[in-house]
PDB file of all heavy atoms in Angstrom:
ATOM      1  N   ILE A  85     -37.930  20.842 -17.593  1.00 94.00           N
ATOM      2  CA  ILE A  85     -37.778  21.802 -16.468  1.00 94.00           C
ATOM      3  C   ILE A  85     -36.419  22.416 -16.618  1.00 94.00           C
ATOM      4  O   ILE A  85     -35.358  21.789 -16.628  1.00 94.00           O
ATOM      5  CB  ILE A  85     -37.849  21.007 -15.148  1.00 94.00           C
ATOM      6  CG1 ILE A  85     -39.136  20.191 -15.062  1.00 94.00           C
ATOM      7  CG2 ILE A  85     -37.766  21.991 -13.976  1.00 94.00           C
ATOM      8  CD1 ILE A  85     -40.402  21.007 -15.144  1.00 94.00           C
ATOM      9  N   ALA A 168     -59.992  29.875  -1.920  1.00 38.00           N
ATOM     10  CA  ALA A 168     -61.227  29.531  -2.672  1.00 38.00           C
ATOM     11  C   ALA A 168     -61.991  30.818  -3.098  1.00 38.00           C
ATOM     12  O   ALA A 168     -62.451  30.956  -4.239  1.00 38.00           O
ATOM     13  CB  ALA A 168     -62.119  28.628  -1.856  1.00 38.00           C
ATOM     14  N   ARG A 212     -39.680  50.675  -2.385  1.00 84.00           N
ATOM     15  CA  ARG A 212     -39.696  52.076  -2.843  1.00 84.00           C
ATOM     16  C   ARG A 212     -39.450  52.213  -4.342  1.00 84.00           C
ATOM     17  O   ARG A 212     -39.385  53.322  -4.851  1.00 84.00           O
ATOM     18  CB  ARG A 212     -38.625  52.861  -2.073  1.00 84.00           C
ATOM     19  CG  ARG A 212     -38.901  52.965  -0.576  1.00 84.00           C
ATOM     20  CD  ARG A 212     -37.865  53.807   0.129  1.00 84.00           C
ATOM     21  NE  ARG A 212     -36.544  53.142   0.123  1.00 84.00           N
ATOM     22  CZ  ARG A 212     -35.446  53.714   0.631  1.00 84.00           C
ATOM     23  NH1 ARG A 212     -35.473  54.896   1.128  1.00 84.00           N
ATOM     24  NH2 ARG A 212     -34.299  53.033   0.567  1.00 84.00           N
ATOM     25  N   LEU A 277      -7.464  20.587  -2.659  1.00 92.00           N
ATOM     26  CA  LEU A 277      -7.624  19.560  -1.652  1.00 92.00           C
ATOM     27  C   LEU A 277      -8.469  18.427  -2.197  1.00 92.00           C
ATOM     28  O   LEU A 277      -9.436  18.647  -2.982  1.00 92.00           O
ATOM     29  CB  LEU A 277      -8.372  20.182  -0.408  1.00 92.00           C
ATOM     30  CG  LEU A 277      -7.566  20.998   0.550  1.00 92.00           C
ATOM     31  CD1 LEU A 277      -8.441  21.410   1.710  1.00 92.00           C
ATOM     32  CD2 LEU A 277      -6.312  20.299   1.021  1.00 92.00           C
ATOM     33  N   LEU A 348     -23.926  20.622   0.035  1.00 95.00           N
ATOM     34  CA  LEU A 348     -23.781  21.023  -1.372  1.00 95.00           C
ATOM     35  C   LEU A 348     -24.343  19.951  -2.232  1.00 95.00           C
ATOM     36  O   LEU A 348     -23.955  18.741  -2.104  1.00 95.00           O
ATOM     37  CB  LEU A 348     -22.280  21.270  -1.719  1.00 95.00           C
ATOM     38  CG  LEU A 348     -21.550  22.430  -1.129  1.00 95.00           C
ATOM     39  CD1 LEU A 348     -21.301  22.327   0.381  1.00 95.00           C
ATOM     40  CD2 LEU A 348     -20.256  22.670  -1.842  1.00 95.00           C
ATOM     41  N   LEU A 363     -17.207  20.150   6.035  1.00 92.00           N
ATOM     42  CA  LEU A 363     -16.985  19.825   7.465  1.00 92.00           C
ATOM     43  C   LEU A 363     -15.572  20.180   7.878  1.00 92.00           C
ATOM     44  O   LEU A 363     -14.661  20.228   7.020  1.00 92.00           O
ATOM     45  CB  LEU A 363     -17.242  18.330   7.702  1.00 92.00           C
ATOM     46  CG  LEU A 363     -18.646  17.779   7.411  1.00 92.00           C
ATOM     47  CD1 LEU A 363     -18.620  16.240   7.464  1.00 92.00           C
ATOM     48  CD2 LEU A 363     -19.654  18.323   8.360  1.00 92.00           C
ATOM     49  N   ASN A 526     -17.803  -8.196  30.722  1.00 37.00           N
ATOM     50  CA  ASN A 526     -18.092  -8.431  32.126  1.00 37.00           C
ATOM     51  C   ASN A 526     -17.964  -7.155  32.988  1.00 37.00           C
ATOM     52  O   ASN A 526     -17.770  -7.219  34.155  1.00 37.00           O
ATOM     53  CB  ASN A 526     -17.165  -9.547  32.708  1.00 37.00           C
ATOM     54  CG  ASN A 526     -15.760  -9.373  32.255  1.00 37.00           C
ATOM     55  OD1 ASN A 526     -15.447  -8.398  31.586  1.00 37.00           O
ATOM     56  ND2 ASN A 526     -14.854 -10.287  32.615  1.00 37.00           N
ATOM     57  N   ASP A 583     -34.696  22.093  31.759  1.00 43.00           N
ATOM     58  CA  ASP A 583     -35.268  21.029  32.597  1.00 43.00           C
ATOM     59  C   ASP A 583     -34.734  21.095  34.008  1.00 43.00           C
ATOM     60  O   ASP A 583     -35.495  20.983  34.950  1.00 43.00           O
ATOM     61  CB  ASP A 583     -34.854  19.618  31.998  1.00 43.00           C
ATOM     62  CG  ASP A 583     -35.859  19.222  30.882  1.00 43.00           C
ATOM     63  OD1 ASP A 583     -36.854  19.941  30.769  1.00 43.00           O
ATOM     64  OD2 ASP A 583     -35.611  18.245  30.194  1.00 43.00           O
ATOM     65  N   GLU A 589     -36.890  24.878  40.431  1.00 40.00           N
ATOM     66  CA  GLU A 589     -37.932  25.848  40.787  1.00 40.00           C
ATOM     67  C   GLU A 589     -39.164  25.150  41.363  1.00 40.00           C
ATOM     68  O   GLU A 589     -39.813  25.606  42.321  1.00 40.00           O
ATOM     69  CB  GLU A 589     -38.342  26.666  39.551  1.00 40.00           C
ATOM     70  CG  GLU A 589     -37.210  27.623  39.110  1.00 40.00           C
ATOM     71  CD  GLU A 589     -37.588  28.279  37.822  1.00 40.00           C
ATOM     72  OE1 GLU A 589     -38.675  27.950  37.259  1.00 40.00           O
ATOM     73  OE2 GLU A 589     -36.868  29.162  37.350  1.00 40.00           O
ATOM     74  N   GLU A 590     -39.489  23.964  40.786  1.00 41.00           N
ATOM     75  CA  GLU A 590     -40.669  23.226  41.248  1.00 41.00           C
ATOM     76  C   GLU A 590     -40.466  22.772  42.704  1.00 41.00           C
ATOM     77  O   GLU A 590     -41.366  22.915  43.560  1.00 41.00           O
ATOM     78  CB  GLU A 590     -40.841  22.025  40.349  1.00 41.00           C
ATOM     79  CG  GLU A 590     -42.099  21.199  40.663  1.00 41.00           C
ATOM     80  CD  GLU A 590     -43.355  21.949  40.350  1.00 41.00           C
ATOM     81  OE1 GLU A 590     -43.377  22.753  39.387  1.00 41.00           O
ATOM     82  OE2 GLU A 590     -44.340  21.798  41.075  1.00 41.00           O
ATOM     83  N   GLU A 600     -43.442  17.102  62.919  1.00 37.00           N
ATOM     84  CA  GLU A 600     -43.269  16.859  64.341  1.00 37.00           C
ATOM     85  C   GLU A 600     -42.427  15.607  64.581  1.00 37.00           C
ATOM     86  O   GLU A 600     -42.409  14.729  63.757  1.00 37.00           O
ATOM     87  CB  GLU A 600     -44.633  16.656  65.002  1.00 37.00           C
ATOM     88  CG  GLU A 600     -45.549  17.910  64.866  1.00 37.00           C
ATOM     89  CD  GLU A 600     -46.890  17.672  65.504  1.00 37.00           C
ATOM     90  OE1 GLU A 600     -47.108  16.509  65.996  1.00 37.00           O
ATOM     91  OE2 GLU A 600     -47.715  18.554  65.542  1.00 37.00           O
ATOM     92  N   PHE A 639     -15.780   6.639  35.606  1.00 87.00           N
ATOM     93  CA  PHE A 639     -16.044   5.621  34.594  1.00 87.00           C
ATOM     94  C   PHE A 639     -15.795   4.237  35.127  1.00 87.00           C
ATOM     95  O   PHE A 639     -15.748   3.293  34.347  1.00 87.00           O
ATOM     96  CB  PHE A 639     -15.183   5.899  33.368  1.00 87.00           C
ATOM     97  CG  PHE A 639     -15.370   7.233  32.758  1.00 87.00           C
ATOM     98  CD1 PHE A 639     -14.373   8.149  32.664  1.00 87.00           C
ATOM     99  CD2 PHE A 639     -16.666   7.612  32.314  1.00 87.00           C
ATOM    100  CE1 PHE A 639     -14.625   9.424  32.070  1.00 87.00           C
ATOM    101  CE2 PHE A 639     -16.912   8.846  31.739  1.00 87.00           C
ATOM    102  CZ  PHE A 639     -15.892   9.756  31.649  1.00 87.00           C
ATOM    103  N   ILE A 737     -31.644  24.249  54.127  1.00 83.00           N
ATOM    104  CA  ILE A 737     -30.398  23.793  53.453  1.00 83.00           C
ATOM    105  C   ILE A 737     -30.036  24.843  52.391  1.00 83.00           C
ATOM    106  O   ILE A 737     -30.909  25.313  51.630  1.00 83.00           O
ATOM    107  CB  ILE A 737     -30.593  22.443  52.755  1.00 83.00           C
ATOM    108  CG1 ILE A 737     -31.036  21.394  53.802  1.00 83.00           C
ATOM    109  CG2 ILE A 737     -29.357  21.962  52.067  1.00 83.00           C
ATOM    110  CD1 ILE A 737     -31.367  20.022  53.195  1.00 83.00           C
ATOM    111  N   LEU A 748     -26.274  13.774  44.255  1.00 92.00           N
ATOM    112  CA  LEU A 748     -25.770  12.536  44.801  1.00 92.00           C
ATOM    113  C   LEU A 748     -26.896  11.542  45.178  1.00 92.00           C
ATOM    114  O   LEU A 748     -26.778  10.349  44.964  1.00 92.00           O
ATOM    115  CB  LEU A 748     -24.893  12.847  46.015  1.00 92.00           C
ATOM    116  CG  LEU A 748     -23.608  13.584  45.711  1.00 92.00           C
ATOM    117  CD1 LEU A 748     -22.874  13.961  46.991  1.00 92.00           C
ATOM    118  CD2 LEU A 748     -22.659  12.747  44.839  1.00 92.00           C
ATOM    119  N   LEU A 855     -44.854  17.131  38.841  1.00 86.00           N
ATOM    120  CA  LEU A 855     -46.146  16.820  39.509  1.00 86.00           C
ATOM    121  C   LEU A 855     -47.235  16.500  38.518  1.00 86.00           C
ATOM    122  O   LEU A 855     -48.302  16.086  38.926  1.00 86.00           O
ATOM    123  CB  LEU A 855     -46.582  17.993  40.392  1.00 86.00           C
ATOM    124  CG  LEU A 855     -45.631  18.365  41.539  1.00 86.00           C
ATOM    125  CD1 LEU A 855     -46.255  19.502  42.363  1.00 86.00           C
ATOM    126  CD2 LEU A 855     -45.334  17.188  42.435  1.00 86.00           C
ATOM    127  N   ASP A 903     -53.206   3.024  21.310  1.00 87.00           N
ATOM    128  CA  ASP A 903     -53.916   3.089  19.993  1.00 87.00           C
ATOM    129  C   ASP A 903     -54.396   4.508  19.724  1.00 87.00           C
ATOM    130  O   ASP A 903     -54.284   4.978  18.619  1.00 87.00           O
ATOM    131  CB  ASP A 903     -55.092   2.090  20.082  1.00 87.00           C
ATOM    132  CG  ASP A 903     -55.750   1.914  18.734  1.00 87.00           C
ATOM    133  OD1 ASP A 903     -55.040   1.587  17.773  1.00 87.00           O
ATOM    134  OD2 ASP A 903     -56.982   2.072  18.619  1.00 87.00           O
ATOM    135  N   TYR A 952     -54.063 -25.256  13.144  1.00 87.00           N
ATOM    136  CA  TYR A 952     -54.233 -24.705  11.832  1.00 87.00           C
ATOM    137  C   TYR A 952     -55.477 -23.751  11.831  1.00 87.00           C
ATOM    138  O   TYR A 952     -56.375 -23.893  12.630  1.00 87.00           O
ATOM    139  CB  TYR A 952     -54.451 -25.799  10.758  1.00 87.00           C
ATOM    140  CG  TYR A 952     -53.169 -26.560  10.466  1.00 87.00           C
ATOM    141  CD1 TYR A 952     -53.007 -27.872  10.969  1.00 87.00           C
ATOM    142  CD2 TYR A 952     -52.124 -26.007   9.727  1.00 87.00           C
ATOM    143  CE1 TYR A 952     -51.863 -28.585  10.695  1.00 87.00           C
ATOM    144  CE2 TYR A 952     -50.992 -26.719   9.467  1.00 87.00           C
ATOM    145  CZ  TYR A 952     -50.850 -28.019   9.948  1.00 87.00           C
ATOM    146  OH  TYR A 952     -49.678 -28.695   9.691  1.00 87.00           O
ATOM    147  N   MET A1020     -60.262 -17.556  -1.782  1.00 84.00           N
ATOM    148  CA  MET A1020     -59.541 -17.296  -3.024  1.00 84.00           C
ATOM    149  C   MET A1020     -59.104 -15.829  -3.151  1.00 84.00           C
ATOM    150  O   MET A1020     -58.162 -15.507  -3.860  1.00 84.00           O
ATOM    151  CB  MET A1020     -60.416 -17.648  -4.220  1.00 84.00           C
ATOM    152  CG  MET A1020     -60.471 -19.122  -4.568  1.00 84.00           C
ATOM    153  SD  MET A1020     -58.893 -19.751  -5.032  1.00 84.00           S
ATOM    154  CE  MET A1020     -58.487 -18.834  -6.480  1.00 84.00           C
TER     155      MET A1020
END
Side-chain angles (χ1 to χ4, degrees):
I85 307 299
R212 296 183 292 176
L277 283 185
L348 290 71
L363 298 170
N526 43 2
D583 276 351
E589 291 175 356
E590 183 69 32
E600 297 180 359
F639 301 120
I737 302 177
L748 293 174
L855 299 181
D903 190 53
Y952 289 105
M1020 280 299 299

